[in-house]
Amino acid sequence: MATASTLRARQARESVVIRFAGDSGDGMQVTGSRFTVETALAGNDLTTFPDFPAEIRAPAGTTFGVSAFQIQFGARDVMTPGDAVDVLVAMNPAALKVDVKDLRRGGTVLVDTGAFTERNLTKAGFAANPLEDGSLAPYQVLKFDITRLTTEAVKPFGLSSREAHRCRNMWALGLMLWMYGRDRQATIEWLRRKFADRPELAQANVAAVNAGHAFGETAEMSEHLVGYTVPSAPAEPGRYRTVSGTEALAWGLLAGMRGAGLEKMIFAGYPITPASLLLHTLANLKAYGVVTFQAEDEIAAIGAAIGAAYSGSLGVTSSSGPGIALKTEMLGLAIATELPIVVIDSQRAGPSTGMPTKAEQSDLFQAVHGRNADAPLAVIAAATAVDCFEVAIEAVRIATTYMTPVIVLSDAYLAHAAEPWRLPEAAALPRFPVRFRTDPTGFHPFVRDPATLARAWAVPGTPGLEHRIGGLEKDYDTGHISYDPDNHARMTQTRAAKIAGIANGIPPQQVSLGDDHGAVAVVGWGSTYGAIHRAVSEARDEGGDVSHIHLRYLNPFPRNLGELLARFEHILVPEMNAGQLVQLLRAAYLVPAQGLSKVAGKPFKVSEIVQAIEATLRSPHPRSPSPHRGEGARG
Amino acid sequence: MTVTTITDAELAPKDYASDQEVRWCPGCGDYAILKAVQKTLAELGAPRERTVFVSGIGCAARFPYYLSTYGFHTIHGRAPAIATGVKLANPGLDVWVVTGDGDGLSIGGNHMLHVLRRNVDLQIILFNNEIYGLTKGQYSPTSRRGTHSPSTPQGSIEAPVSPCAFALGAGARFVARAVDTQQPDVVAVLKRAHGHRGASFVEIFQNCVVFNDGVFDHFTSKDVAAEAQLHVEHGKPLLFGPNRERGLRLKAGTVALEVVPVGEGGVPPGDILVHDETNRALAQLLAALEPPAFPVALGVLYCNPAASYEAEVYAQARAAGFSGEPADLGALLRREGTWTVAP
């Protein structure tokens, strides 16, 4: 607890961006996660962004082995992990080298001088020691021998020198917790649980946290260090926790399964970064009716999901871009047999293997169009970690209501990003119970609900409904194999009409921020939500006539979308791809949408979108003069 | 979990036929297998509503359309994956997989490997005709070296895979073999397969009259069958020939089988190996036997049950607390690290 004297010394901040960076073996993800929990418990809003290398254990001390965890937290709505870093914790020279470029001028960098050895400097590619050559002059540099201080703090517990060295991250965490006036209790309890079978490790790690914290209090006396306060953010009353996109997806799928009244979910996956996290999360939820199946390949994974759906369970599979590509033929089968499955795509940079741990939004075309023949299905996207929960429920609703595969687009950023979440009341979650067909009268497998065009869900085990389905085209009226030309045309049209009809059952597109008409609409989808929202907010603060529209439904689009977009002079579409939604919008509505592309494996910075908005506001009206539309739009 | 119960009144083989016209080539071995399967189902009294046939792509894969049970004609090579999903979702269903040599061992070879080693409780019938029929006669992974086909005009140069040896290598716990036209044997083997809990692999030599006619004649035609077929039976000596006058024994000093005459002028009957269907090594030796030096081994080569995959999956689920009743989702969300913002 902070004493009265330390509180007096603290300076107030509205929001702060901290990046913990170190070697991939330094435990930076754990450090960041623990700081996140303590920060959430302190009542700040926050968003986190882990950025780690694909190498499991890259050679120690190298720049490509640097692992980082960034958190922005504050007293107001925090929607992104932050453009520029205020405080960089650099556990070794390589981390400093890689991450200092994102530190704002005047920002603080905390280094472990004990790690700045000749050898580590060379490995990081420094010709001279940056702590001595003045290159860090634009920053406030806090130089402590964390290695030595940690070793001393854990000495009583008799660890090996390697084990003692591994406690450095907890020392740094302790100091940062002190710096922002955070509690340590949850972390101490967590360490005791984590190392329950190695009490000496638990004690040592707790001692390291406490030593870092005590160092802050002591060093403050000599005015080396300044403590800060970041007041809690205003929040709706309720019960909260932090949630990552992966957790929210897992729980959302469960909630969807419940909403549909289904007893079981069969989740089949094949290991792939970054989608495996969802498999791991669900593998621990067997008590809730989740059966996880690690299949032999991506194709078998979706095959098992289809088999499960055929048998009346919720069938789910999950992968990333290259794995989704492998599932393509099976998606066609699910479309032809009209079976409800949910396919989650945690997008990553591509093509091919690309950059497996880096986020991109480049699977939109693959999701909407990437199949042989005319093969429509539903595509929706999650905007934030918390949104993953609702989107997963919605995916199950659409799949089971319309008897169709649904692709959910997430990405490598959302998979890991975490934010506070006000827990929903379980009783208030949506319910959309499925009705399995049991009546043999007039039954054939493609008998349809006239409203949704969904075919009957008749599952094996039901007497009198024995039937055969498959990938061969079926007769509209009997469900038997058919090569009739007119029937194929009719079935093709029906499959398309069924997917298009989903638009009748979804809410009209809302404007996330700003007016429903004006000079510029910034239209986004997926995990760019926070950056776009903040950018539009800033542009509006400067008087810009700009609105934010964020799409959850990517196929079909909401019914009012074309009309809504027509009320804006400019349409700016920021995407982490080379321009995919922008093309879909142009094709669907013949609107002069312009893309803003970022394919750097990193999320948009708010400033990048602000600049694009400003440029768009300055540019001429893209449409030829049309008094009709112009007046209407302004009216 | 549900349990299969026989509820139908006595059903005849014809009751397992669908109303669809069968469209294989006249004389195709598939007709015989279809009849045998329908007879098997009737003899088992299989409830149609709890029986599911899953197939991939190929001539054989049309099979489900001709049965009055539930059926799923899927995509090329993937039937084992889909059948696994069916069984995971509802372990009470009786699930059969129908595949071919191309479907099951070429494009679907990976799935076949894994469904067998996992031991999912399925009956897998592989129709082996040593050719791609539906695509008009290309050589298949079981085609013998030298097979002339549209894609191998000078003859195939690839070594074939032996389905039963593959299945044993993959860890299958039930492996059996039969000839399409020998209906009583097919029925007997399918009934054994059905009774086995876990993945049952049955290879049926199936004659393709159009693209590979007579490819098995050297051991299936009536005049040579007795000489060239060894019908194995658990606990019985491995004897064959018109008067069961020849048998197999272990060749001294090595791990190999040899054919020896039995009885008068031959070895004493006690020297002949007795079939032990729980012996994997023996099964591998039997699966590898080939004419003309050896007969083709038919019947149940290997049967050594172990816990089936889906049974173990649900045992783990129950151990983790799954009861079939909805568990408290709200409690899951609140399980750790929550805080409350007061009104």
Side-chain angles (χ1 to χ4, degrees):
Chain A
M1 292 298 286
T3 63
S5 67
T6 60
L7 276 178
R8 259 202 312 279
R10 288 180 182 273
Q11 301 177 6
R13 289 280 183 275
E14 202 201 3
S15 71
V16 178
V17 178
I18 301 179
R19 183 181 295 175
F20 298 92
D23 205 59
S24 33
D26 281 343
M28 291 297 98
Q29 302 306 320
V30 167
T31 311
S33 303
R34 295 321 305 171
F35 189 85
T36 302
V37 169
E38 299 291 5
T39 296
L41 292 172
N44 291 128
D45 197 11
L46 62 89
T47 297
T48 65
F49 176 52
D51 185 14
F52 43 80
E55 291 78 9
I56 300 302
R57 285 284 183 273
T62 57
T63 51
F64 54 89
V66 171
S67 173
F69 184 103
Q70 184 165 321
I71 174 172
Q72 177 167 212
F73 58 101
R76 53 163 200 188
D77 262 9
V78 173
M79 315 192 93
T80 71
D83 283 10
V85 174
D86 297 310
V87 181
L88 171 65
V89 178
M91 300 300 284
N92 69 2
L96 181 70
K97 178 120 187 170
V98 170
D99 289 291
V100 77
K101 64 181 183 300
D102 293 326
L103 187 62
R104 70 168 168 79
R105 289 182 76 82
T108 301
V109 55
L110 166 67
V111 295
D112 176 8
T113 54
F116 278 65
T117 59
E118 205 59 48
R119 186 177 150 77
N120 280 348
L121 287 164
T122 309
K123 273 201 258 184
F126 281 113
N129 188 340
L131 304 182
E132 289 159 6
D133 68 359
S135 60
L136 297 177
Y139 314 109
Q140 295 180 28
V141 186
L142 301 175
K143 294 185 273 193
F144 305 124
D145 191 344
I146 297 175
T147 299
R148 182 180 58 79
L149 291 163
T150 304
T151 309
E152 283 169 10
V154 305
K155 195 169 252 166
F157 307 104
L159 306 187
S160 69
S161 64
R162 182 184 160 78
E163 283 173 336
H165 191 256
R166 289 173 66 97
C167 296
R168 290 190 312 147
N169 63 333
M170 288 296 115
W171 193 98
L173 175 63
L175 181 61
M176 297 312 286
L177 291 175
W178 169 82
M179 192 177 279
Y180 292 93
R182 301 289 180 240
D183 206 354
R184 281 162 288 159
Q185 202 48 44
T187 295
I188 289 170
E189 284 165 17
W190 177 82
L191 284 167
R192 291 197 174 124
R193 279 201 309 276
K194 181 177 165 67
F195 296 114
D197 52 348
R198 294 280 311 271
E200 75 283 10
L201 278 186
Q203 288 171 318
N205 276 285
V206 169
V209 172
N210 287 339
H213 192 271
F215 183 87
E217 288 200 329
T218 322
E220 183 196 23
M221 310 295 183
S222 55
E223 294 177 15
H224 280 310
L225 277 173
V226 184
Y228 300 91
T229 56
V230 180
S232 59
E236 295 271 310
R239 190 97 172 252
Y240 285 77
R241 62 166 294 154
T242 57
V243 69
S244 71
T246 297
E247 290 166 327
L249 272 178
W251 300 335
L253 288 169
L254 259 187
M257 177 189 102
R258 288 288 171 74
L262 297 171
E263 184 192 290
K264 275 181 298 206
M265 175 199 320
I266 311 296
F267 179 94
Y270 180 76
I272 184 170
T273 301
S276 304
L277 274 178
L278 187 57
L279 172 62
H280 305 169
T281 305
L282 286 164
N284 287 301
L285 297 180
K286 293 189 177 75
Y288 296 85
V290 180
V291 172
T292 52
F293 171 55
Q294 182 176 311
E296 59 270 27
D297 61 26
E298 297 284 0
I299 301 169
I302 185 173
I306 290 172
Y310 172 67
S311 304
S313 286
L314 175 59
V316 185
T317 187
S318 154
S319 189
S320 192
I324 299 293
L326 283 166
K327 296 179 194 294
T328 298
E329 189 193 6
M330 279 285 189
L331 280 170
L333 178 68
I335 291 165
T337 54
E338 304 189 37
L339 283 168
I341 60 166
V342 174
V343 180
I344 293 167
D345 179 359
S346 296
Q347 302 165 94
R348 66 188 214 191
S352 189
T353 310
M355 299 193 290
T357 58
K358 308 299 179 192
E360 210 164 81
Q361 296 180 302
S362 43
D363 290 351
L364 180 58
F365 280 170
Q366 175 171 239
V368 174
H369 291 313
R371 285 165 296 283
N372 63 303
D374 294 306
L377 49 65
V379 181
I380 61 177
T384 65
V386 165
D387 192 45
C388 285
F389 184 76
E390 266 188 39
V391 162
I393 296 174
E394 183 65 351
V396 179
R397 184 192 69 84
I398 293 172
T400 53
T401 305
Y402 295 90
M403 294 292 281
T404 177
V406 177
I407 293 182
V408 174
L409 292 172
S410 175
D411 62 40
Y413 168 72
L414 285 178
H416 298 281
E419 60 179 347
W421 179 34
R422 188 160 69 97
L423 297 177
E425 289 300 325
L429 294 172
R431 298 201 67 79
F432 37 88
V434 300
R435 279 197 300 270
F436 292 118
R437 174 86 179 205
T438 53
D439 182 7
T441 314
F443 171 76
H444 69 81
F446 285 84
V447 64
R448 293 178 189 279
D449 179 313
T452 60
L453 297 178
R455 79 170 183 90
W457 198 359
V459 305
T462 315
L465 299 189
E466 295 85 358
H467 66 274
R468 276 63 60 191
I469 58 170
L472 287 170
E473 184 64 288
K474 297 298 187 293
D475 184 80
Y476 186 93
D477 293 312
T478 64
H480 295 316
I481 298 169
S482 169
Y483 282 85
D484 181 79
D486 292 341
N487 178 71
H488 177 57
R490 188 181 185 191
M491 287 295 275
T492 301
Q493 287 154 10
T494 303
R495 286 185 284 263
K498 182 178 82 166
I499 298 304
I502 293 170
N504 299 325
I506 62 177
Q509 182 63 47
Q510 303 288 316
V511 178
S512 301
L513 183 63
D515 301 325
D516 65 0
H517 61 274
V520 179
V522 186
V523 182
W525 65 281
S527 70
T528 50
Y529 178 85
I532 296 175
H533 206 77
R534 183 62 68 199
V536 168
S537 173
E538 287 184 13
R540 289 180 62 82
D541 288 348
E542 298 298 312
D545 180 10
V546 53
S547 300
H548 176 200
I549 295 170
H550 213 73
L551 304 184
R552 169 182 287 180
Y553 300 94
L554 296 162
N555 196 48
F557 288 132
R559 291 170 65 89
N560 66 329
L561 183 61
E563 187 232 347
L564 176 63
L565 295 181
R567 291 193 227 128
F568 291 87
E569 291 170 17
H570 300 274
I571 297 162
L572 177 66
V573 187
E575 293 179 88
M576 291 164 62
N577 59 42
Q580 299 193 7
L581 177 63
V582 67
Q583 287 198 48
L584 294 181
L585 292 176
R586 292 175 72 106
Y589 303 117
L590 300 176
V591 288
Q594 297 294 322
L596 172 65
S597 172
K598 180 168 185 181
V599 281
K602 291 202 179 231
F604 274 105
K605 290 183 175 176
V606 173
S607 57
E608 292 165 345
I609 299 173
V610 169
Q611 283 166 22
I613 291 170
E614 285 167 354
T616 306
L617 282 166
R618 286 193 303 269
S619 65
H621 195 310
R623 292 189 178 91
S624 54
S626 157
H628 216 63
R629 184 193 276 139
E631 290 307 305
R634 287 310 196 170
Chain B
M1 189 159 52
T2 37
V3 174
T4 306
T5 46
I6 297 168
T7 53
D8 281 348
E10 289 279 300
L11 291 173
K14 65 173 172 39
D15 294 317
Y16 291 93
S18 76
D19 59 353
Q20 296 297 291
E21 185 193 348
V22 183
R23 291 194 187 178
W24 287 309
C25 306
C28 176
D30 288 0
Y31 285 95
I33 303 173
L34 178 61
K35 289 275 180 239
V37 166
Q38 287 166 344
K39 191 163 190 296
T40 303
L41 294 173
E43 290 184 12
L44 291 168
R48 285 176 296 195
E49 76 276 11
R50 306 207 63 81
T51 304
V52 184
F53 277 79
V54 183
S55 63
I57 292 291
C59 295
R62 289 284 186 116
F63 211 85
Y65 290 118
Y66 306 137
L67 291 167
S68 62
T69 65
Y70 280 91
F72 199 164
H73 177 213
T74 71
I75 54 177
H76 206 11
R78 319 301 177 195
I82 286 170
T84 300
V86 170
K87 198 72 186 173
L88 281 175
N90 186 352
L93 295 172
D94 189 10
V95 184
W96 301 68
V97 169
V98 175
T99 185
D101 40 312
D103 188 62
L105 291 173
S106 193
I107 193 168
N110 190 37
H111 307 304
M112 188 62 76
L113 160 66
H114 294 282
V115 79
L116 292 175
R117 78 171 172 83
R118 285 192 189 104
N119 202 30
V120 183
D121 184 21
L122 308 167
Q123 292 81 242
I124 301 164
I125 317 176
L126 186 142
F127 298 14
N128 182 11
N129 57 13
E130 297 189 2
I131 210 78
Y132 282 93
L134 201 58
T135 50
K136 300 203 188 333
Q138 299 84 357
Y139 77 107
S140 91
T142 55
S143 296
R144 276 160 253 177
R145 264 184 204 277
T147 298
H148 288 267
S149 81
S151 55
T152 49
Q154 296 165 277
S156 160
I157 52 172
E158 296 179 20
V161 60
S162 156
C164 285
F166 171 86
L168 287 163
R173 311 204 62 104
F174 181 98
V175 176
R177 208 144 67 174
V179 174
D180 54 4
T181 50
Q182 297 172 196
Q183 195 192 69
D185 296 341
V186 176
V187 172
V189 152
L190 291 180
K191 283 165 84 173
R192 283 289 311 276
H194 183 265
H196 174 257
R197 290 282 156 264
S200 312
F201 181 86
V202 179
E203 175 190 11
I204 299 183
F205 295 109
Q206 176 249 322
N207 189 41
C208 173
V209 289
V210 174
F211 296 111
N212 217 11
D213 195 21
V215 73
F216 302 121
D217 278 359
H218 61 291
F219 67 91
T220 59
S221 69
K222 285 211 165 58
D223 50 332
V224 298
E227 203 58 55
Q229 295 183 5
L230 167 68
H231 293 265
V232 304
E233 215 175 323
H234 184 59
K236 301 275 177 63
L238 295 167
L239 294 169
F240 65 102
N243 303 304
R244 296 169 67 76
E245 74 283 13
R246 297 205 282 161
L248 296 179
R249 72 171 183 188
L250 266 184
K251 202 170 181 174
T254 182
V255 185
L257 298 176
E258 64 178 344
V259 175
V260 287
V262 190
E264 214 172 312
V267 305
D271 282 12
I272 299 303
L273 270 179
V274 172
H275 184 45
D276 174 3
E277 65 184 21
T278 67
N279 184 332
R280 184 185 293 274
L282 176 60
Q284 281 285 12
L285 292 173
L286 291 171
L289 299 181
E290 274 187 56
F294 291 95
V296 171
L298 299 169
V300 179
L301 306 186
Y302 185 63
C303 177
N304 189 12
S308 69
Y309 179 73
E310 74 291 340
E312 296 216 282
V313 164
Y314 280 92
Q316 280 198 341
R318 281 190 298 275
F322 174 64
S323 65
E325 293 300 312
D328 187 352
L329 188 57
L332 171 67
L333 304 189
R334 292 190 300 274
R335 197 162 63 185
E336 58 190 314
T338 69
W339 67 94
T340 301
V341 174

